[in-house]
Amino acid sequence: MKTKTWILLVGTMFLLSLIGSFFVLRPRPDASLVQISSGGKMVKTVNLHENQQFTITAENGGVNIITVENGKIAVTEATCPDHYCMKRGFCASGTDIVCLPNKLVIHFLGTQTVDAAAG
């Protein structure tokens, strides 16, 4: 009798874990809006469903050209020395795109992410 109880208990816990992991690991929808700030000040809110290209000039004179295409956004040109912001490529969601030398931040609205490298 005790064996059947343990099997039922373990089976129930497995089933609950499976259902819980579905809700935690399911794909989240991509963001449709991003906020762009420069020097700590919000400059622009952009809809990712409208293809466009524009330039953000930082207080230090640095320039970032931002391109929105097919629901994704990228820094396609930058005057910063390292070009890490450009290396991110086109993104639809995820962690912010940042250009530290030009103090530019592209923040995806409506998404929450966890940095897998943390910890």
Side-chain angles (χ1 to χ4, degrees):
M1 181 72 176
K2 287 187 176 191
T3 305
K4 289 181 183 179
T5 305
W6 279 107
I7 291 172
L8 182 62
L9 181 63
V10 169
T12 303
M13 290 177 62
F14 176 75
L15 185 61
L16 290 173
S17 298
L18 187 64
I19 292 169
S21 66
F22 171 75
F23 289 108
V24 171
L25 299 175
R26 74 176 183 259
R28 291 177 174 76
D30 291 338
S32 60
L33 293 174
V34 295
Q35 278 186 341
I36 299 174
S37 54
S38 178
K41 299 174 188 168
M42 209 271 283
V43 176
K44 189 171 189 164
T45 300
V46 177
N47 183 344
L48 294 181
H49 299 296
E50 298 173 10
N51 292 349
Q52 56 188 303
Q53 187 174 52
F54 52 90
T55 302
I56 303 290
T57 303
E59 295 172 352
N60 66 359
V63 175
N64 293 87
I65 297 177
I66 300 169
T67 304
V68 179
E69 288 181 358
N70 304 321
K72 297 181 179 184
I73 190 167
V75 177
T76 50
E77 293 183 42
T79 59
C80 58
D82 55 18
H83 298 287
Y84 287 131
C85 54
M86 293 173 56
K87 292 176 184 173
R88 281 287 311 270
F90 281 89
C91 303
S93 64
T95 56
D96 297 347
I97 299 172
V98 178
C99 180
L100 288 177
N102 294 341
K103 298 179 182 173
L104 174 86
V105 177
I106 299 173
H107 176 70
F108 295 94
L109 298 176
T111 60
Q112 294 181 353
T113 59
V114 176
D115 186 359

